[in-house]
Amino acid sequence: MATVQFDHIQKSYGAVEAISDFNLHIEDGEFCVFVGPSGCGKSTALKMLAGLEATSGGTIQIGGRDVTELGPGKRDIAMVFQNYALYPHMSVRKNIGFGLKMAGMDAQNINARVEEAARVLELTPYLDRKPRALSGGQRQRVALGRAIVREPKAFLMDEPLSNLDAKLRVQTRSEIVKLQKRLGVTTIYVTHDQTEALTMADKIVVMRGGVIQQVGSAEELFHQPRNIFVAGFIGSPGMNFFRGPVADGARGPVTRFGGQEIALPEHCRSVVGRDMVFGIRPEHIRVSEHGATIGLSLVENLGTEKILHFHTPGENILELDRTVMANDEERDAQTMLIRVIDDRRYHDGDSLGLAFPVDKIHVFDPDTHEVVG
C-alpha cells in the first residue's frame, strides 16, 4: 500500500498538450476515480502512472519513491484493463497465477496466493474451468484476481466494467468496492461514467481538456460544484441551467424566470445589475401552485420516479458550448428537467407551477463559468 503523488505532470504529443500541470495527492488506501468525457486525459494520466506512457514534464511518486523514469515492472503496481486479456487455453487457476510464475515464484507460494485470491473473489468453484465457461462478470473477477495475487502497492483500473451489461456493471462495481475496502490497497480507477464515480470513489477527480476541474468527494462535487462544467457533468440527469439578470427585490436579490420573480442566495447582492447563469438540479425543483407556470413537453415514467421535461422560457435560455456544459446526455439549451417521486399523474401539455428553493440555486459567472459566492 502506498500514497501516490503527481507533481506538475505534463504530457504532449507534438504540439498537442494532452495533460497540463496535473497535480494530485492520493492517500494510502484511498479509492480515487478519474472521470470526464472522452479525450479529457484521464486514461493518459493513468498510463503515465503505470509507466506505459512517458511524461513530458513533472514527477510521479508511489509510496514516496520517484518512479517517473522507471519501467512498468519496477513500479510495484497492478493494472486491470477494459479487456480481460485472459489466456483462453489456461484454467482460471493458471490465469491468476501466471504473472507470479513468470516472476519465478515457487509453485507452493503461487498456489497459496491463488487460493486466497479465489476465496476473496468467490472463484474457488471455478479454478479449474477455462475462461470460455465463465460469465463476463466472472472473467472480470479473474482479471482482478491476477492483480490481487501480486500484492502491489496500488491497483490501476482502466474502465474495467465497460464491456459488461448494465445489470452486471452494477453488481461488479459493488464487488470491486467491497474488495478494495477489504484489501485496503490504494486504487486509481478511470471511467467516463459519472454514476460509477459517484458510487465507488472516496475521491473523485473531474477532468476536462487535460486539466483537473475539481477534486472532492461525491457529496462535494454534487452539492458544491466549482464551475459550470462540473455542475453539468456530475448528476444524472445533469444540472439545469438558465440565465437572468440579478436585481434588488423587497426581501433580497432576485431574478426573473417565466415572468415571475425567483429569490436568489444572499451573496448575489454583489452582482446586482449583472446577467448571471443559474443552476438547479432536477431533483431540487418542486412542483408548486405558487411557482412560475410552465407547460410540460414530455413525461418519462420510470416507475419509482418521473422525469418531467419542459421548455425553458425564451428570455432565460442559456446558450453555451457543449464542451462547457458537457454531460453524457444530449440535452438542448431550451429543455429543463424535473425529477419527481410521487403518485400524481402527469401528461404532456400540462401546465405546472415550479418552485426553486433558494438554498439549492447555484450561481455562476457567465464569463469565467466559475461559481459565485
Side-chain angles (χ1 to χ4, degrees):
M1 294 186 289
T3 59
V4 173
Q5 181 76 38
F6 293 85
D7 283 318
H8 302 289
I9 291 296
Q10 294 180 313
K11 178 62 180 179
S12 299
Y13 297 97
V16 178
E17 190 171 46
I19 298 286
S20 177
D21 199 26
F22 190 95
N23 294 283
L24 180 67
H25 178 77
I26 301 169
E27 296 288 350
D28 184 16
E30 199 166 39
F31 197 123
C32 179
V33 175
F34 294 172
V35 66
S38 298
C40 71
K42 55 189 184 293
S43 290
T44 300
L46 191 77
K47 289 175 182 177
M48 287 191 291
L49 177 58
L52 301 176
E53 289 271 8
T55 65
S56 301
T59 59
I60 297 174
Q61 295 183 33
I62 299 176
R65 181 174 66 132
D66 188 339
V67 299
T68 313
E69 302 299 328
L70 296 182
K74 298 181 179 180
R75 297 194 180 199
D76 200 7
I77 52 92
M79 283 201 72
V80 179
F81 296 95
Q82 176 179 343
N83 189 329
Y84 319 128
L86 303 181
Y87 295 105
H89 62 288
M90 291 184 182
S91 65
V92 168
R93 183 186 302 277
K94 290 183 177 179
N95 263 286
I96 294 175
F98 183 74
L100 300 181
K101 180 180 179 180
M102 295 302 293
M105 183 177 287
D106 65 88
Q108 184 176 353
N109 280 329
I110 291 175
N111 190 59
R113 288 199 187 185
V114 169
E115 292 281 352
E116 175 60 15
R119 184 190 65 79
V120 169
L121 293 166
E122 299 181 358
L123 287 171
T124 303
Y126 311 104
L127 281 174
D128 295 318
R129 292 190 187 183
K130 300 288 178 61
R132 64 176 175 272
L134 304 178
S135 68
Q138 289 166 340
R139 292 177 192 175
Q140 191 57 275
R141 276 187 275 159
V142 174
L144 286 168
R146 191 168 50 194
I148 290 170
V149 294
R150 295 183 55 188
E151 298 181 357
K153 289 183 178 178
F155 290 140
L156 311 186
M157 302 187 184
D158 192 1
E159 304 206 39
L161 307 183
S162 58
N163 284 338
L164 305 181
D165 62 52
K167 183 177 180 180
L168 196 52
R169 261 202 315 272
V170 173
Q171 177 186 337
T172 309
R173 79 188 183 207
S174 65
E175 290 176 352
I176 288 175
V177 171
K178 291 175 186 175
L179 175 65
Q180 192 271 340
K181 298 303 180 191
R182 191 182 310 159
L183 299 175
V185 179
T186 307
T187 301
I188 298 90
Y189 185 106
V190 162
T191 181
H192 67 278
D193 185 338
Q194 49 93 14
T195 301
E196 279 185 18
L198 291 171
T199 55
M200 298 179 77
D202 299 316
K203 175 182 288 178
I204 301 172
V205 181
V206 182
M207 296 181 64
R208 169 180 170 240
V211 177
I212 294 176
Q213 299 295 301
Q214 187 169 351
V215 178
S217 67
E219 185 172 321
E220 288 170 337
L221 297 180
F222 188 82
H223 293 289
Q224 300 169 336
R226 183 176 296 171
N227 56 38
I228 290 175
F229 177 84
V230 175
F233 188 81
I234 296 296
S236 181
M239 185 177 286
N240 296 301
F241 298 102
F242 62 95
R243 68 178 177 88
V246 180
D248 265 326
R251 298 182 180 178
V254 296
T255 191
R256 296 191 69 80
F257 182 87
Q260 295 198 25
E261 281 192 351
I262 294 176
L264 295 176
E266 188 62 26
H267 64 73
C268 287
R269 287 189 183 277
S270 63
V271 290
V272 166
R274 291 185 58 192
D275 268 20
M276 303 300 287
V277 176
F278 306 103
I280 187 165
R281 297 203 177 276
E283 48 271 29
H284 293 155
I285 300 176
R286 298 201 308 265
V287 177
S288 169
E289 296 179 0
H290 306 292
T293 302
I294 304 294
L296 270 178
S297 59
L298 178 66
V299 179
E300 293 181 81
N301 194 329
L302 305 179
T304 57
E305 66 182 24
K306 303 174 188 73
I307 305 296
L308 311 180
H309 296 235
F310 60 95
H311 292 300
T312 308
E315 67 273 19
N316 297 114
I317 292 175
L318 172 67
E319 296 285 358
L320 278 179
D321 189 286
R322 291 289 307 170
T323 59
V324 175
M325 299 175 67
N327 196 289
D328 286 341
E329 304 157 27
E330 288 298 325
R331 282 170 53 191
D332 63 60
Q334 300 182 37
T335 301
M336 297 184 74
L337 306 181
I338 314 173
R339 172 186 277 134
V340 295
I341 302 177
D342 59 30
D343 295 325
R344 176 173 172 176
R345 291 182 178 274
Y346 298 91
H347 303 91
D348 298 356
D350 285 353
S351 291
L352 296 180
L354 306 181
F356 297 72
V358 66
D359 61 331
K360 301 298 184 183
I361 296 176
H362 302 260
V363 186
F364 303 95
D365 188 299
D367 298 321
T368 65
H369 305 155
E370 298 293 311
V371 71
V372 174

